[in-house]
Amino acid sequence: MDKLLPKSSGQVQRSAVGLPGLNVDMDNLLYNLTSAFNPLHRDCLLNYHVAAVNAQQVCMSVVMPREMLQSFSQLLESMGGFFRVVNGKARAASAIVKAHDLDKIAEREQLASDRKAGVCAIFDKLISQGHSSSDAIRLTNNALRAENNPWASRYMVESVLRSEGRLRKSKGGKERK
C-alpha cells in the first residue's frame, strides 16, 4: 500500500491511503494547486470538515493523506512567511504614500493651524477678561480638557502660546497682557 514505485521520469509514485492498487503521483498532485487543495475539484486530496462551536466560532479540520502532511505543512509555512513579508511591505508602501500625499499634508497642517487658533482664541478671551497669563493658561487648558481636545495639557498650551507670541515679555521684564 505505501510502496514507493519508481517511475521512468524519476518521480515517485505512492498509493493513495485507503485505496489499494490506485497509484497516485503525489508530487504531481501536490504541485497542482488547482486540484490538490480545491475542494470543488474532483481530484482534491483534502477533506474539510467545519462545525459550529458557538455563535462566533467554527472548528475546521482538514483530513489528508499521510504522505501529503509534510508538503502541506511546508505550503502553509511558506504562505505564512509570504503574507508576513507582504504585510510589512504593504504597511511601508502606504506609509510612503501617506508621507508624500500633498492633500494629507495640507489637511494635517490645516488641523494644526485650527487647533492653534482655537487655543489662542480661548487665551485671548481670558486675557481680555482680566485674567493673568498663568490663570489664562490654566483656564485655557481646562477648557480644552472639557472638549476632550488632544492638545489639553499645560505643556501643549504653553508651547502653542509661545510659538504664536502670546507669552512674550515686554522690555520692562513683565509679560504682556
Side-chain angles (χ1 to χ4, degrees), residues 121-137:
I122 295 169
F123 180 78
D124 291 342
K125 181 180 174 187
L126 292 168
I127 291 294
S128 68
Q129 292 174 356
H131 292 281
S132 68
S133 291
S134 60
D135 284 343
I137 291 170

Side-chain angles (χ1 to χ4, degrees), residues 5-6 15 19 30-31 33 35 46 48 57 76 81 101 117 136 163:
L5 302 173
S15 65
L19 299 174
L30 285 178
Y31 296 114
L33 297 179
S35 64
L46 302 178
Y48 304 93
Q57 296 176 326
L76 292 179
D101 186 359
S163 70

Side-chain angles (χ1 to χ4, degrees), residues 118-119 121-123 125-126 135-153 157:
V119 169
I122 295 169
F123 180 78
K125 181 180 174 187
L126 292 168
D135 284 343
I137 291 170
R138 182 179 50 79
L139 293 171
T140 300
N141 189 35
N142 290 343
L144 293 174
R145 276 201 185 128
E147 298 171 0
N148 288 329
N149 190 311
W151 286 18
S153 76
V157 170

Side-chain angles (χ1 to χ4, degrees), residues 24-48 62-65 67-69 71-73 75-76:
V24 176
D25 185 358
M26 190 58 67
D27 292 332
N28 185 32
L29 285 176
L30 285 178
Y31 296 114
N32 186 358
L33 297 179
T34 59
S35 64
F37 298 108
N38 183 356
L40 301 176
H41 196 276
R42 65 180 176 82
D43 292 332
C44 180
L45 295 176
L46 302 178
N47 189 2
Y48 304 93
V62 180
V63 180
M64 68 184 73
E67 295 93 359
M68 192 175 179
L69 181 60
S71 297
F72 184 72
S73 299
L75 173 72
L76 292 179

Side-chain angles (χ1 to χ4, degrees), residues 63-100:
V63 180
M64 68 184 73
R66 184 178 61 241
E67 295 93 359
M68 192 175 179
L69 181 60
Q70 183 177 1
S71 297
F72 184 72
S73 299
Q74 288 173 346
L75 173 72
L76 292 179
E77 185 179 336
S78 68
M79 292 305 290
F82 171 75
F83 284 112
R84 276 192 300 275
V85 168
V86 168
N87 187 32
K89 291 197 179 280
R91 275 188 272 136
S94 66
I96 289 170
V97 169
K98 188 186 283 185
H100 296 293

